[in-house]
Amino acid sequence: MNRFAALLDRLAYEPRRNAKIALIAGYFRDTPDPARGLALAALTGGLKFRHAKPGIVRALIEERTDPVLFRMSYDYVGDLSETVALIWPAPAAGIGDDQARLPDDHERSRDDQRRSTDDHDDGAADLSLPEIVDALANAGKAELPGLLAGLLDRLDETGRWALLKLITGGLRVGVSARLAKTAVAALGDLRPAEIEEVWHGLEPPYEPLFSWAEGRSGKPAISDPVPFRPVMLSHALEDGDFEKLDAADFAAEWKWDGIRVQAVAATGEDGRHARRLYSRTGDDISRSFPDLLESLDFEGAIDGELLVVREGRVQSFNTLQQRLNRKAVTPKMLAQYPAHLIAYDLLVDGEVDLRELPFSERRTRLETLADGLDRDRISLSPLVDFGTWEDLTAARADPADHGASADADAVEGVMIKRRDSAYLAGRIKGHWWKWKRDPFNVDAVLLYAQRGHGKRSSFYSDYTFGVWRQGPAGEELVPVGKAYFGFTDEELRKLDRFVRQNTINRFGPVREVTHEPESGLVLEIAFEGLARSTRHKSGLAMRFPRIGRIRWDKRPADADRIEALQALLKGE
């Protein structure tokens, strides 16, 4: 466990991508199975402990220390795992020994002990990562607090921090799942895309994956008839890109405001027709969309956008949200919010993998396939007609007059794809671009600020802002959103200084700042859209708000009013 903790600690302070890959690959080379596979699962978000919740950690630390001291420390540090790791008191002699000992059914054999020497260190000689993961995964809700307290008693500060990060699932060490898989590929001659190809058919501790990466065995066999294929991603269009590109080499489609999905259907070895719907990250979301699943009457894999279509019109993302993250879907919900797939690429046709073919050929085969599908559930993403970049600019600015018609409100920009581009996993530059429509902007007043997490734990970096409205007692500011990005490090320091110097009230980790008509701070907020919301005092909810500019030059009295936002709502 201590070696895994040391890895996380070094990763947290290493800013260079290649150096992070080297650190992870080095750990994988020097660490035996199954410990390295569990570490990989932790880095990629693949470890889940059903009963391990932050509330248990808070309850434990408040039993061991002064609750007021803990809350003050947490307010200052801003990270629960780091706070508890630092102030967890050493146990009195003889106290905690029974709790620290893992249950008998988690004891290791002597062979296991020899295999796990990588995790041994003074003070925690009997704690290996596999043992800890196994114990946490099998502990009941009543057992978990005692088990966790015992483990915390036996680990040092770094070990405690790593353990708490492990169970709460928020490592925040600057390592994406893609980066961790790249480190696995670095163990041999594999490409990251090859790791991605088999990833979703494997489970921790990934022993066949490591054996393949190190050249000790062949590619792991995936028996699933409807596997997930890694998606191809785009780059945001930047200033000057058009000058380097010939419009004749590209096709364009509308960028729909839904969620990226992959619909896969095939006949298994048992002769049964299997269907599955995946999110862009490979999560199986089939159970949430049974209405769409039953319409996957084809053999292959379609890349597309999941939306809600009612009476032939594509609805906004806010409507789709009614169907997202639902454990159970009622008949009423299925009727009110019917799921629909807009198909824009074909990865597999029958048993033929098309990903190496150019986009233009895949598109032709997709059009043929789409002709035989249920059009109430699956439709073809229309191409945007353009001859020059100026034509495409006009279409992006006004989708309704360039083919999107009544569906224009669900368009958030255009996708630009090379006609000769193969379907390449990951974000490969030079093939696909996304060109989103310009965001909405509003001038709002800073109301509250909260400390951030991780590297921002010492700064007030999460900002709640509001606009003016007529209240019962006159003009008042009402919160309309919260933003925590869009500014530079230098701007963050200035914002943090403003918060500290203009605090008028404190509510735990939150500070209220001055916000009078002539005294306060105006923020220009950029956002992608609005929706009505009964959960917010303003009656509105912003989508993807971020700070566009800090308006040091404006008075709060000059900020926008709620009526300006209400006028942006669709249909008004």
Side-chain angles (χ1 to χ4, degrees), residues 232-247:
M232 183 171 180
L233 302 172
S234 61
H235 281 266
L237 194 72
E238 299 177 355
D239 292 341
D241 280 344
F242 279 153
E243 299 171 8
K244 311 168 191 174
L245 306 174
D246 184 348

Side-chain angles (χ1 to χ4, degrees), residues 89-162:
I95 297 178
D97 291 343
D98 290 338
Q99 289 180 326
R101 190 171 184 271
L102 295 176
D104 289 341
D105 58 347
H106 303 304
E107 291 291 337
R108 294 169 299 164
S109 67
R110 293 188 178 185
D111 288 341
D112 290 334
Q113 292 179 24
R114 284 193 292 270
R115 293 175 75 199
S116 299
T117 54
D118 67 295
D119 285 313
H120 290 188
D121 203 354
D122 293 340
D126 295 324
L127 297 180
S128 74
L129 181 59
E131 280 184 308
I132 290 176
V133 169
D134 189 45
L136 291 171
N138 289 284
K141 189 173 183 179
E143 300 172 286
L144 189 61
L147 173 64
L148 182 55
L151 293 173
L152 291 171
D153 282 340
R154 290 175 59 185
L155 293 166
D156 62 12
E157 289 178 1
T158 303
R160 291 194 292 265
W161 171 74

Side-chain angles (χ1 to χ4, degrees), residues 523-554:
L523 304 173
E524 182 180 301
I525 305 298
F527 58 97
E528 300 300 324
L530 283 171
R532 297 191 184 278
S533 172
T534 56
R535 297 170 51 196
H536 297 79
K537 187 177 180 180
S538 64
L540 304 173
M542 285 185 173
R543 187 169 183 223
F544 297 143
R546 66 264 192 197
I547 294 177
R549 286 193 296 170
I550 307 171
R551 300 304 306 264
W552 302 103
D553 58 318
K554 280 198 170 186

Side-chain angles (χ1 to χ4, degrees), residues 6-29 40 43 161 171-184 186-187 455:
L7 171 67
L8 295 186
D9 190 50
R10 293 187 67 184
L11 289 172
Y13 289 99
E14 176 54 70
R16 297 168 299 173
R17 179 182 183 275
N18 288 342
K20 285 180 183 288
I21 292 173
L23 284 172
I24 300 169
Y27 176 87
F28 289 156
R29 287 192 186 95
L40 175 60
L43 291 170
W161 171 74
L171 295 183
R172 293 187 179 178
V173 291
V175 175
S176 65
R178 175 78 174 181
L179 194 75
K181 296 168 192 174
T182 301
V184 176
L187 297 177
K455 294 180 180 180

Side-chain angles (χ1 to χ4, degrees), residues 22 25 29 59-60 99 119 133 190 220 258 296-297 315 356 389 400 416 430 439 446 533 547:
R29 287 192 186 95
L60 284 175
Q99 289 180 326
D119 285 313
V133 169
L190 298 178
L296 303 185
D297 293 324
Q315 304 298 301
E356 292 186 0
W389 295 129
I416 306 170
L446 177 62
S533 172
I547 294 177

Side-chain angles (χ1 to χ4, degrees), residues 489-501:
D489 289 345
E490 178 60 30
E491 287 173 329
L492 172 60
R493 285 189 283 271
K494 292 180 180 180
L495 286 165
D496 179 75
R497 189 179 307 120
F498 176 87
V499 170
R500 295 175 188 276
Q501 293 177 350

Side-chain angles (χ1 to χ4, degrees), residues 155-421:
L155 293 166
D156 62 12
E157 289 178 1
T158 303
R160 291 194 292 265
W161 171 74
L163 173 65
L164 294 170
K165 288 288 187 183
L166 187 72
I167 68 170
T168 57
L171 295 183
R172 293 187 179 178
V173 291
V175 175
S176 65
R178 175 78 174 181
L179 194 75
K181 296 168 192 174
T182 301
V184 176
L187 297 177
D189 298 323
L190 298 178
R191 293 176 290 108
E194 293 178 279
I195 302 292
E196 292 278 10
E197 190 71 23
V198 301
W199 179 260
H200 294 277
L202 302 174
E203 294 181 352
Y206 304 114
E207 292 187 22
L209 178 66
F210 282 106
S211 180
W212 176 44
E214 292 172 334
R216 294 184 287 108
S217 67
K219 183 177 180 179
I222 306 301
S223 59
D224 189 349
V226 283
F228 173 76
R229 277 90 176 174
V231 299
M232 183 171 180
L233 302 172
S234 61
H235 281 266
L237 194 72
E238 299 177 355
D239 292 341
D241 280 344
F242 279 153
E243 299 171 8
K244 311 168 191 174
L245 306 174
D246 184 348
D249 295 334
F250 291 85
E253 303 171 60
W254 300 122
K255 187 178 188 309
W256 299 100
D257 193 11
I259 64 169
R260 180 89 171 268
V261 295
Q262 190 174 120
V264 189
T267 301
E269 293 181 357
D270 58 0
R272 299 175 62 182
H273 191 64
R275 301 176 175 95
R276 202 164 298 160
L277 194 66
Y278 293 103
S279 71
R280 62 179 287 171
T281 55
D283 296 323
D284 185 353
I285 58 173
S286 306
R287 292 182 61 184
S288 297
F289 299 94
D291 46 345
L292 178 57
L293 199 69
E294 66 184 14
S295 296
L296 303 185
D297 293 324
F298 60 89
E299 300 263 340
I302 292 176
D303 187 7
E305 199 83 2
L306 179 65
L307 298 141
V308 167
V309 172
R310 286 194 300 223
E311 298 179 353
R313 290 188 58 181
V314 179
Q315 304 298 301
S316 70
F317 181 82
N318 300 309
T319 303
L320 175 62
Q321 281 185 311
Q322 306 301 317
R323 289 289 304 271
L324 300 181
N325 303 315
R326 300 278 184 175
K327 292 182 179 180
V329 187
T330 65
K332 182 179 179 181
M333 190 174 295
L334 292 174
Q336 289 184 337
Y337 306 103
H340 188 93
L341 175 66
I342 294 183
Y344 44 69
D345 215 324
L346 185 61
L347 313 188
V348 177
D349 188 8
E351 297 182 356
V352 181
D353 192 328
L354 307 181
R355 288 175 292 177
E356 292 186 0
L357 296 180
F359 170 73
S360 57
E361 291 187 35
R362 298 197 309 274
R363 172 75 189 195
T364 299
R365 296 183 73 150
L366 176 62
E367 291 171 354
T368 300
L369 178 68
D371 283 341
L373 299 179
D374 179 0
R375 297 193 179 186
D376 289 335
R377 292 293 180 187
I378 304 174
S379 60
L380 185 67
S381 179
L383 295 176
V384 179
D385 184 31
F386 73 100
T388 66
W389 295 129
E390 289 75 17
D391 294 339
L392 189 60
T393 300
R396 168 182 171 266
D398 189 2
D401 282 348
H402 290 80
S405 303
D407 294 333
D409 285 345
V411 170
E412 61 172 2
V414 292
M415 293 294 300
I416 306 170
K417 302 178 180 181
R418 288 196 66 91
R419 296 182 185 275
D420 61 359
S421 172

